[in-house]
Amino acid sequence: MECTVPVEVHLATEHADVGSLERTISAALAEVGIRLWHELVARLEAALPVPVTCAGCGGRLKANGRASRRLVTLAGEVELRRRRYRCLGCGTEVVPLDAALGLEPRTAHTLGVQERGLWLVTEMSYQKAVEVAAELRRWPIGRGELHRWVAQEGARIEATSAADTEAVLGDRPVRERDGPRRGTVWVSADGTMVHDRSSGTEFEVKVGLIFDGVRRTGRTRRALTGRTYVGGTGSWTTFAERFTATCQKLGVFDAERIFFVSDGAAAIRWIRQRSFPTAIELLDWYHLVEALRRAIGDERTDRLETALAIAAPGDAERLGELLAGWAFEEAGADLARADRLAGVWGYVGANRRAIENYAIVPLASSGPMEKGVDLVVARRFKARGMSWFRRGASPLLHLRLLRLNGTWAHYWAGRFAALLRPWPSAA
């Protein structure tokens, strides 16, 4: 349906400065938006057929006046006066306009307002998001409403992600992908702890990173190319499946080379062994240095320098022998230090192949992964005084990943498209 809605706006200002003009025009735009809502809704309702029988019991419907309903829209708060009908048989109330607009009971905000509110809450606390929405756009949004929207959208994203994982790794895998990756792909995984409000302890948030390379964005700044993050608050098994499915969808396994960089933790080594058996594994140099320093001791700089000189070219076998010898020497003098040396010897042994691959990528770094953990988790979930229920952190994490991965607009375009309704024929 196409229509022309004439709108006349009276503008009055006593000053000609930009600030005064801007306030006048902004107020006029808000007024026009509300008028357009009323006009279009009135035309829509007039085009709706008059209901005759009750869909539930088949009884006759009788007009029952009009009912008010307030709806917060991107243009502002609108009051709708809708026709309603009551069934003479079962007493059910019918509001044709609500059905035509797809308005569910107790819905007070349009999907557009919900999307903007969720955009805010992915970046700042719930309370700040409420305050910013009220200050900048005069949208009355409550914290409880934000929590409910996060839970609802997070559940939709989780269901889609679970279905995608099942499609790739299930009994009948689908091998469709966005496109094969060329050249080299870098893959990393890590975890970080978040305060758990329910237990008073902590739970772990897992993060995965996939990227192609690095490009210069400034004199000293770099940005990852082809970057995608994956995250979850569930088990490592669940995360591994989702991470693997995402890599499959992105064509990672078609790349010429896959570099898998990690801090050497057992859970992450398990993911590498299970899902990336042909990847070139690399141990983050910083984590190796810190493990050696803690075991050897800050005062033994000579030994630390010797160990690092052996580790740098990837001689994991010689490094292991050196650490075992030092652990044996310290056993009679400092048992605690001997235990630490034995522990790092085991760490080096478990990550032997990842150290030997320094011959391919010298002093490999998990810096991009550490930055990813900061962006995905720390900046939103680990501010001072924050604690979370897992059921609240998980859906918000899904929404934050939409933004960081650049898929926010695509996701919401799909949400709006699913609600499209044809304009009804004239009554």
Side-chain angles (χ1 to χ4, degrees):
M1 177 179 178
E2 294 184 5
C3 61
T4 300
V5 180
V7 177
E8 181 178 332
V9 179
H10 176 68
L11 299 177
T13 181
E14 297 178 356
H15 305 281
D17 60 282
V18 172
S20 298
L21 296 179
E22 185 173 53
R23 288 191 295 273
T24 299
I25 293 172
S26 295
L29 288 174
E31 180 184 348
V32 168
I34 301 300
R35 289 187 186 180
L36 289 175
W37 260 99
H38 286 148
E39 180 65 25
L40 288 174
V41 166
R43 295 192 183 195
L44 172 60
E45 189 175 48
L48 295 175
V50 176
V52 178
T53 58
C54 176
C57 70
R60 188 168 66 88
L61 294 177
K62 180 181 179 181
N64 191 31
R66 289 183 175 270
S68 296
R69 180 169 186 172
R70 301 191 70 82
L71 186 65
V72 180
T73 73
L74 292 175
E77 198 168 2
V78 178
E79 182 177 2
L80 306 179
R81 297 278 298 171
R82 309 108 68 223
R83 292 177 185 153
R84 64 181 174 185
Y85 299 82
R86 180 181 294 275
C87 175
L88 297 179
C90 63
T92 300
E93 281 197 349
V94 177
V95 182
L97 181 61
D98 287 4
L101 293 174
L103 283 177
E104 298 178 357
R106 295 182 297 278
T107 297
H109 300 77
T110 64
L111 188 61
V113 173
Q114 293 180 34
E115 184 262 340
R116 293 291 82 192
L118 291 172
W119 193 97
L120 290 174
V121 85
T122 60
E123 189 63 30
M124 60 190 69
S125 71
Y126 283 87
Q127 183 58 41
K128 286 184 179 179
V130 168
E131 294 169 358
V132 169
E135 178 65 25
L136 296 184
R137 298 302 302 269
R138 308 294 188 208
W139 293 332
I141 302 175
R143 289 179 58 183
E145 289 166 324
L146 282 176
H147 279 284
R148 186 171 67 254
W149 299 344
V150 167
Q152 292 170 348
E153 292 302 327
R156 286 189 177 93
I157 299 170
E158 173 64 28
T160 301
S161 182
D164 290 344
T165 301
E166 178 64 22
V168 173
L169 304 178
D171 295 335
R172 297 181 179 180
V174 177
R175 298 306 182 190
E176 294 181 1
R177 53 181 65 90
D178 294 345
R181 310 285 278 232
R182 304 299 181 185
T184 298
V185 176
W186 297 79
V187 177
S188 297
D190 203 354
T192 186
M193 306 307 292
V194 171
H195 291 299
D196 188 346
R197 189 178 302 176
S198 62
S199 66
T201 56
E202 293 179 317
F203 63 85
E204 190 171 23
V205 180
K206 293 83 175 174
V207 181
L209 168 64
I210 305 147
F211 68 98
D212 297 323
V214 180
R215 63 180 173 85
R216 183 190 296 271
T217 59
R219 189 173 66 178
T220 61
R221 297 179 65 85
R222 303 287 189 275
L224 303 180
T225 59
R227 185 195 71 182
T228 299
Y229 291 118
V230 181
T233 62
S235 67
W236 276 104
T237 300
T238 301
F239 170 77
E241 292 174 348
R242 189 152 299 175
F243 191 36
T244 304
T246 301
C247 287
Q248 174 66 35
K249 184 179 179 182
L250 295 176
V252 169
F253 298 109
D254 296 328
E256 296 172 12
R257 291 195 305 180
I258 303 174
F259 287 129
F260 192 102
V261 186
S262 78
D263 60 6
I268 302 175
R269 291 202 313 271
W270 173 75
I271 291 178
R272 204 281 309 164
Q273 293 165 0
R274 174 186 178 181
S275 302
F276 303 88
T278 62
I280 300 171
E281 58 179 317
L282 296 163
L283 180 63
D284 172 50
W285 178 250
Y286 171 80
H287 282 88
L288 177 59
V289 172
E290 286 300 296
L292 292 171
R293 182 186 61 77
R294 287 192 298 268
I296 296 171
D298 292 328
E299 72 281 5
R300 302 301 299 270
T301 57
D302 54 336
R303 285 192 170 185
L304 179 59
E305 290 174 359
T306 300
L308 294 179
I310 295 172
D315 194 346
E317 182 177 358
R318 186 181 169 198
L319 178 61
E321 293 173 351
L322 185 66
L323 292 170
W326 287 343
F328 181 77
E329 290 178 13
E330 296 288 351
D334 189 338
L335 189 58
R337 190 192 300 271
D339 288 342
R340 291 196 299 271
L341 287 166
V344 78
W345 170 76
Y347 177 73
V348 168
N351 291 282
R352 174 173 176 169
R353 180 182 170 187
I355 296 173
E356 291 173 344
N357 285 332
Y358 288 162
I360 302 173
V361 180
L363 311 185
S365 171
S366 64
M369 184 71 260
E370 300 293 336
K371 181 67 173 181
V373 170
D374 177 58
L375 287 172
V376 176
V377 184
R379 296 191 184 184
R380 181 61 185 90
F381 297 91
K382 299 184 71 170
R384 180 179 298 178
M386 279 189 176
S387 62
W388 298 84
F389 292 109
R390 192 188 297 266
R391 65 177 183 273
S394 183
L396 184 57
L397 177 64
H398 292 323
L399 288 163
R400 186 162 174 80
L401 287 170
L402 288 181
R403 285 193 54 200
L404 294 173
N405 288 334
T407 55
W408 182 273
H410 176 76
Y411 171 80
W412 285 100
R415 288 283 285 118
F416 284 109
L419 298 179
L420 290 177
R421 294 165 179 267
W423 198 276
S425 302

